Amino acid sequence: MSDRREWIANRRGFLRFLAGTPLLAGAGVLPSLTEKLWGQNDSPDTLIGAAEEALNVFDFEPAAKTQMLPAHYGYTVSGTDGDETVLANRTGFERFRIRARRMVDVRQVDTATRIFGERWETPIALSPVGGQGKYHPEGEVVSARGARAGGHTQILSTQTSRTVEDVTAARGAPVWFQLYPSNHWHIAEGLTRRAEQAGCPVVAITVDRAAPRNMETFERYRRMDTADCAACHIEGPPEERLRNRAMWTGIDLTGVESTQASGLTWDFVERLKSTTSMRVMLKGIVTAQDAALCLQHGVDGIIVSNHGGRAEASGRSTIESLPEIVSTVRGRIPVLIDGGFRRGTDIFKALALGADAVCVGRPYVWGLGSFGQAGVEQVLSILSEEFRRVMQEVGVTSIAQINGSYIEPA
Ligand SMILES: Cc1cc2nc3c(=O)[nH]c(=O)nc-3n(C[C@H](O)[C@H](O)[C@H](O)COP(=O)(O)O)c2cc1C
């Protein structure tokens, strides 16, 4: 038996032992969300011991779970209330079926596309996920190396644990910057200027975090975590808590309440647009009405998103929100989408419904948390390969050929 196989066998044996020992079960007491929502096998027998053993991106979640503190796992997996919108983001894909064509030569398939004139190798980007230091000591820098391997665009969170300068260097190309504007213009302006100076071509304002969140799954896991949170998380007023975060150093934080922006309105978009040369996107648009307002206010692009089911208990999936936005925008600005993308078929459905590209959130941080850079690379490679295979299955050889004739309501 090779060393690696032996290690996996030992680890499985150990996990089986833990699973049978209720008081020691720790992070295993509650099922992973993968298991809860989709009945995916979360048993130690199928736990992967290396990134290349994964059959699909779901395999990374239980693997990451074994490496993480319960509170960190719970925070990542959680939606709001009873996770209804997280579930909806997955089941929404079942409302659409793919229509496959035959007799097309698909020996050569090109997955490349163009967004804002830039060539993307695949229409798959990395959604901004804050605080990636909890998945890997080098956090977003390692995600950047993983994204670089497959040529994926990375969107960096305001809440990044590593600086935009370090992440850009690791990615070897400009990253996009996600902005939590807070309720204070001078803070939004400071963050934006720094991202612009680091070479970010796009700023994506997250507009779906107006309300405080009730994250019950997170709270359940947090309660069973015995770690000393104060050892890493600074307690005290928001000003103190934010001051040491990678993007917030050097910014005047006087009066800040949180990163949340309950007072955000359309005049902020115009003000930001007149301040920066970066393209301004809005992340979190889910209705035709708001898509129309985006056009009216000169927004350069939209990310259809409900924050991975973490911002609202609407129970409405992003894939179901997409068609009304596409028909409002009519190709005038790029429309990206995230929320529950786990399969090549999901990506194909979004493109057939008119999206220009998709983003993924949790899958790549499960990859990061379980196997570091190899995990991120493998998650993105599985999604890219599945997507390429779907293109072949349904008889298209380029992204431009994917249109509404390849999809129907289920
Ligand atoms: C742990 C976690 C942290 C996140 N942090 C941010 C963030 O800092 N800014 C942001 O705009 N969205 C954030 N998101 C939302 C993602 O950008 C994205 O919308 C969502 O994860 C997509 O859904 P998926 O995880 O099902 O792929 C976060 C999501 C998760 C799971």
Side-chain angles (χ1 to χ4, degrees), residues 115-129:
I115 304 290
F116 293 131
E118 295 290 320
R119 182 183 157 91
W120 287 20
E121 293 310 318
T122 74
I124 306 167
L126 281 68
S127 292
V129 171

Side-chain angles (χ1 to χ4, degrees), residues 127-128 130 157 178 180 206 283 305 307-308 310 338 340 342 361-362:
S127 292
S157 166
Q178 173 268 324
Y180 278 136
T206 295
K283 174 175 182 281
S305 177
H307 221 104
R310 298 160 73 79
D338 72 15
R342 306 288 182 268
R362 294 181 186 88

Side-chain angles (χ1 to χ4, degrees), residues 60-61 64 68 73 76-77 362-371:
F60 289 91
E61 187 193 324
M68 294 173 68
Y73 172 78
T76 307
V77 90
R362 294 181 186 88
Y364 82 87
V365 297
W366 297 140
L368 178 65
S370 49
F371 305 109

Side-chain angles (χ1 to χ4, degrees), residues 171-190:
R171 176 61 189 80
V175 299
W176 291 9
F177 183 67
Q178 173 268 324
L179 178 69
Y180 278 136
S182 81
N183 283 328
H184 301 272
W185 170 252
H186 69 277
I187 293 178
E189 190 186 22

Side-chain angles (χ1 to χ4, degrees), residues 116 203 205 266 269-270 273 279-283 285 290-291 293-303 332-334:
F116 293 131
V203 56
I205 313 168
W266 289 99
V269 176
E270 288 177 11
K273 268 194 73 76
R279 288 198 164 89
V280 174
M281 297 185 81
L282 294 202
K283 174 175 182 281
I285 297 297
D290 282 343
L293 286 166
C294 283
L295 294 171
Q296 207 175 303
H297 291 277
V299 167
D300 298 298
I302 288 174
I303 305 179
R332 284 172 281 183
I333 54 174

Side-chain angles (χ1 to χ4, degrees), residues 343 346 355:
R343 287 285 190 189
D346 304 336

